[in-house]
Amino acid sequence: MQAGRLLVVFDGIDEGGTLRGEIEDYIVHLAEADHRVVATARPEGYAPAKFFEAFLQLRLVPLDGEMQKQLIRNVIGDQVDSTKEIEDGVHHFRELATNPLVLTILCHEYAHQVRHRGPVNLSQKKITSVLRWALDTVLDKLETGLVQIEDELKGTGHRATISQPQIRQRIARSSFSAKVNEKLQAKVSDRVGWDKQLLKRIAFAAHAHQVKEFGKPQAREALAYLGAASDVWRRLMKASEARIFPIVSPFITGARVRMFRFAHLCFQDYLTAL
């Protein structure tokens, strides 16, 4: 670093919480000291004026047609014989496919269908079925991994903890509920059901108030309405913060308040309509 040969990357400075201001000052200090620095943040999650002189500020644009094709090849290129079918099928969802998350979901849905049922024409599928599959798949994998971790820690006979990086690794490697024992399957199914009910209620309330953001107050109202335990929200919140629940994205407001929003508005709309 002292020799100036190091590229310093700060990914997600909007996640800095109460220290975000200090983090921003430090990043600017490094840049002004002639270090090579790259920093990323959501548009609403940093102070642009601080970075005006020391940085070239760029805003990511929606994926165009060629970018979509490249992402498709990167995501499923080694899983199927040809990506042409999905490239053609994605055109049916061209507006949604400008978002990397939604396009990645479409890719995985396509690859899953090909592996299990043969060729699929995405243009004949409704976006609701894709979103339902994505939500069910992500929640099932998340809760299966968490239940397995809890079961293992319980078996140690003493209070134990596991770090966020370890949780991320375990979730990434976890199987689906169909591959765990019957007792754990039931627990996963119950959790996924409550997760979906909570997300549906939060989405409905956000839609009714014409907002995208939600946080602990909105979650409390939804939990009270459903008669659900607070640990339902706690699990989803922590999973989102740990980047293992991509359906919901966390961010920090200017008042240093932790808030969340659906990674794409189509998830909010879909859950509202259920």
Side-chain angles (χ1 to χ4, degrees), residues 144-162 166-167 170-171 173-175 180-181 184 187:
T144 299
L146 292 177
V147 164
Q148 288 176 317
I149 290 170
E150 291 167 9
D151 190 58
E152 290 175 14
L153 293 180
K154 185 178 178 182
T156 62
H158 57 81
R159 189 176 184 84
T161 59
I162 183 169
Q166 289 175 313
I167 292 176
R170 290 297 303 276
I171 297 298
R173 297 198 307 266
S174 72
S175 58
V180 298
N181 66 57
L184 294 187
K187 190 172 184 178

Side-chain angles (χ1 to χ4, degrees), residues 215-264:
K216 187 179 289 186
Q218 291 77 14
R220 277 206 203 98
E221 290 179 10
L223 290 167
Y225 178 86
L226 296 169
S230 60
D231 64 335
V232 180
W233 164 250
R234 195 178 303 115
R235 282 198 311 272
L236 293 181
M237 176 189 66
K238 289 184 176 180
S240 174
E241 292 174 338
R243 305 301 186 187
I244 52 177
F245 183 50
I247 304 298
V248 171
S249 300
F251 67 96
I252 301 289
T253 68
R256 311 297 188 191
V257 176
R258 172 70 76 183
M259 297 292 286
F260 300 84
R261 64 162 59 107
F262 290 100
H264 193 280

Side-chain angles (χ1 to χ4, degrees), residues 127-136 196 200 203 264-274:
I127 187 59
T128 51
S129 66
V130 175
L131 294 174
R132 181 176 61 251
W133 176 87
L135 186 64
D136 289 346
K196 290 175 72 173
K200 283 166 59 177
H264 193 280
L265 193 58
C266 62
F267 285 108
Q268 180 174 314
D269 292 341
Y270 166 69
L271 287 161
T272 300
L274 284 181

Side-chain angles (χ1 to χ4, degrees), residues 14-268:
D14 52 307
E15 301 298 320
T18 56
L19 295 176
R20 192 182 72 185
E22 294 177 39
I23 293 171
E24 290 175 343
D25 292 341
Y26 179 66
I27 292 172
V28 171
H29 167 73
L30 289 177
E32 290 177 340
D34 293 329
H35 291 290
R36 293 179 295 170
V37 182
V38 175
T40 69
R42 291 181 178 84
E44 71 279 5
Y46 78 112
K50 284 187 179 181
F51 298 85
F52 183 75
E53 293 186 3
F55 282 83
L56 172 64
Q57 299 189 48
L58 304 173
R59 183 180 291 266
L60 294 179
V61 299
L63 300 176
D64 61 24
E66 284 304 312
M67 292 176 182
Q68 291 173 19
K69 289 180 181 179
Q70 186 59 52
L71 190 147
I72 290 168
R73 293 172 193 139
N74 290 343
V75 172
I76 64 167
D78 60 346
Q79 300 182 51
V80 297
D81 295 333
S82 171
T83 60
K84 186 178 185 306
E85 284 186 34
I86 188 172
E87 288 174 17
D88 293 340
V90 160
H91 182 71
H92 184 65
F93 304 105
R94 55 188 175 276
E95 291 185 9
L96 291 172
T98 60
N99 179 279
L101 171 64
V102 176
L103 180 54
T104 300
I105 289 169
L106 286 168
C107 289
H108 286 301
E109 160 74 347
Y110 172 80
H112 174 80
Q113 296 287 351
V114 168
R115 286 197 301 271
H116 292 84
R117 302 190 183 101
V120 174
N121 185 350
L122 277 180
S123 65
Q124 294 178 351
K125 295 178 70 64
K126 296 183 180 298
I127 187 59
T128 51
S129 66
V130 175
L131 294 174
R132 181 176 61 251
W133 176 87
L135 186 64
D136 289 346
T137 300
V138 170
L139 284 174
D140 185 89
K141 189 173 178 65
L142 170 67
E143 292 294 8
T144 299
L146 292 177
V147 164
Q148 288 176 317
I149 290 170
E150 291 167 9
D151 190 58
E152 290 175 14
L153 293 180
K154 185 178 178 182
T156 62
H158 57 81
R159 189 176 184 84
T161 59
I162 183 169
S163 68
Q164 277 197 1
Q166 289 175 313
I167 292 176
R168 282 196 292 270
Q169 291 173 4
R170 290 297 303 276
I171 297 298
R173 297 198 307 266
S174 72
S175 58
F176 293 96
S177 59
K179 296 186 178 182
V180 298
N181 66 57
E182 198 170 301
K183 182 180 178 181
L184 294 187
Q185 278 187 34
K187 190 172 184 178
V188 170
S189 178
D190 182 65
R191 283 191 176 190
V192 169
W194 280 113
D195 291 343
K196 290 175 72 173
Q197 288 298 316
L198 177 60
L199 292 171
K200 283 166 59 177
R201 187 63 193 175
I202 287 174
F204 180 83
H207 184 80
H209 291 91
Q210 298 183 335
V211 296
K212 299 178 183 178
E213 296 77 20
F214 55 90
K216 187 179 289 186
Q218 291 77 14
R220 277 206 203 98
E221 290 179 10
L223 290 167
Y225 178 86
L226 296 169
S230 60
D231 64 335
V232 180
W233 164 250
R234 195 178 303 115
R235 282 198 311 272
L236 293 181
M237 176 189 66
K238 289 184 176 180
S240 174
E241 292 174 338
R243 305 301 186 187
I244 52 177
F245 183 50
I247 304 298
V248 171
S249 300
F251 67 96
I252 301 289
T253 68
R256 311 297 188 191
V257 176
R258 172 70 76 183
M259 297 292 286
F260 300 84
R261 64 162 59 107
F262 290 100
H264 193 280
L265 193 58
C266 62
F267 285 108
Q268 180 174 314

